[in-house]
Amino acid sequence: MDLSLLYYGAQWLAGFIAFVTIWGLLPLDNWWVRGVEFPRIQIMFLGLAAWLGMVIFWSDWQFGQWLLFIVLSSALAFQLRMVLPYTILWKKEVLTAKDMPNGHAHQLKIMVSNVLTPNDESQKLVELVKDKRPDILITLETDKKWEKALNQIEANYPYTVKVPLDNLYGMHLYSKLELIDPEVKYLMIDDIPSIHTQLRLQGGQVIWLYCLHPMPPSPTEADKSTTRDAELLMVGKHIKENKQTAILAGDLNDVAWSKTTRRFQRISGLLDPRIGRHFINTFHVKYPFLRWALDHIFHSACFTLVDIQRMPSIGSDHFPVLTTLQYEPEKVSTQETNAPIEKAEDVKEAKNTIEAGKEEGCKVSKEHAEAEKESDC
């Protein structure tokens, strides 16, 4: 191997990693900025390769190489700080559930599955549900075809909310537990729903459940992350202001370490069961190296964690996620100290984001309506 190629290649890669890291800090909502928040794990590993490549040639460094190495090291430290909480090296944000008599009566098993609308392998999800028997099933991107396929499980799920859509934002909720006054809301964009409902646990306690699937920032969908960010922050703010015991779940089209998701946690007070445990990287099924966590669950401090697992592929571009929580209200005071602390600027930033999101949502809603009219002609 030509050593000069390795020498300059390591420097080029180091410069790229430093640039991408700094680029992601720009205070812009455009997809071409916010998109770099997603592959932090991949950026970190590529940065580590560049770091090692540069170290091999440290004796040949001039001032420029020293400066590049310092910037690269700072970028690596930043990326590591973002992803390290989702490993066993970090303190658990949610306690592991304790064994208790008749423990299943205190547990809640939730499965979230983005099915990918064109996916024809619906029987895989049906069989998975029959095998794992979740109390709650939340499906995303489900249309009429998927609704019909999932009729097979309805005998075990007497409570349902169905929003079949063919725009990749259909949503269905199947529950063994009583749903109280469920509502379908369109918080930001007129054709992108969310489900808001109260849920009666087996022990009789009533909690709130929010099912979300906002539009992602991408060159093919939303130019900006504004509506996605605003929807998440709006629900988080509502939970906090109304002092709700709540669970929020769905495909948020965002990663756990993004600035918006972290702000959502600080505002809502909800906990992330992945912190201190492991990544639950659900997207993309076909590309293991290009995979990150888009499907999430957050919950109030009265729940501890029995288990959280990524399920086998059902033919979608997302893996389903199965989470089992245990209702332990006596752990609230302990777990609340693990919750991220709200910062002074969070309330102001959330308010500004929500206002901007509503404005952007009106614009996007009009664009979608016009596109639908054109398609009908």
Side-chain angles (χ1 to χ4, degrees), residues 290-311:
L290 295 174
R291 190 175 287 170
W292 41 75
L294 293 188
D295 301 273
H296 306 260
I297 184 166
F298 300 96
H299 59 80
S300 292
C302 57
F303 291 101
T304 55
L305 182 70
V306 176
D307 192 31
I308 182 168
Q309 293 183 34
R310 189 178 71 190
M311 295 288 100

Side-chain angles (χ1 to χ4, degrees), residues 198-319:
Q198 293 182 80
L199 174 71
R200 193 181 304 278
L201 302 179
Q202 293 184 56
Q205 303 86 2
V206 175
I207 68 167
W208 281 89
L209 174 66
Y210 295 91
C211 310
L212 271 60
H213 184 204
M215 180 180 284
S218 79
T220 58
E221 296 194 62
D223 292 334
K224 297 180 178 181
S225 67
T226 314
T227 58
R228 179 203 66 184
D229 300 345
E231 183 169 334
L232 186 58
L233 292 174
M234 177 184 286
V235 174
K237 184 170 176 281
H238 179 80
I239 290 170
K240 185 65 169 288
E241 289 177 348
N242 291 277
K243 299 180 180 179
Q244 294 177 344
T245 298
I247 294 173
L248 182 145
D251 171 7
L252 301 185
N253 278 313
D254 199 4
V255 283
W257 45 74
S258 78
K259 66 178 183 180
T260 298
T261 304
R262 289 181 291 131
R263 177 166 287 141
F264 158 77
Q265 272 202 269
R266 294 194 298 269
I267 286 176
S268 67
L270 300 189
L271 306 177
D272 185 343
R274 295 164 297 183
I275 291 180
R277 289 184 169 88
H278 50 83
F279 301 108
I280 304 291
N281 292 333
T282 56
F283 176 90
H284 193 288
V285 168
K286 292 184 179 179
Y287 309 112
F289 182 71
L290 295 174
R291 190 175 287 170
W292 41 75
L294 293 188
D295 301 273
H296 306 260
I297 184 166
F298 300 96
H299 59 80
S300 292
C302 57
F303 291 101
T304 55
L305 182 70
V306 176
D307 192 31
I308 182 168
Q309 293 183 34
R310 189 178 71 190
M311 295 288 100
S313 171
I314 59 160
S316 173
D317 50 355
H318 289 244
F319 291 100

Side-chain angles (χ1 to χ4, degrees), residues 79-92:
Q79 300 291 355
L80 182 63
R81 174 60 184 83
M82 292 293 102
V83 303
L84 196 62
Y86 303 91
T87 71
I88 59 173
L89 301 177
W90 209 260
K91 179 184 177 182
K92 291 182 176 66

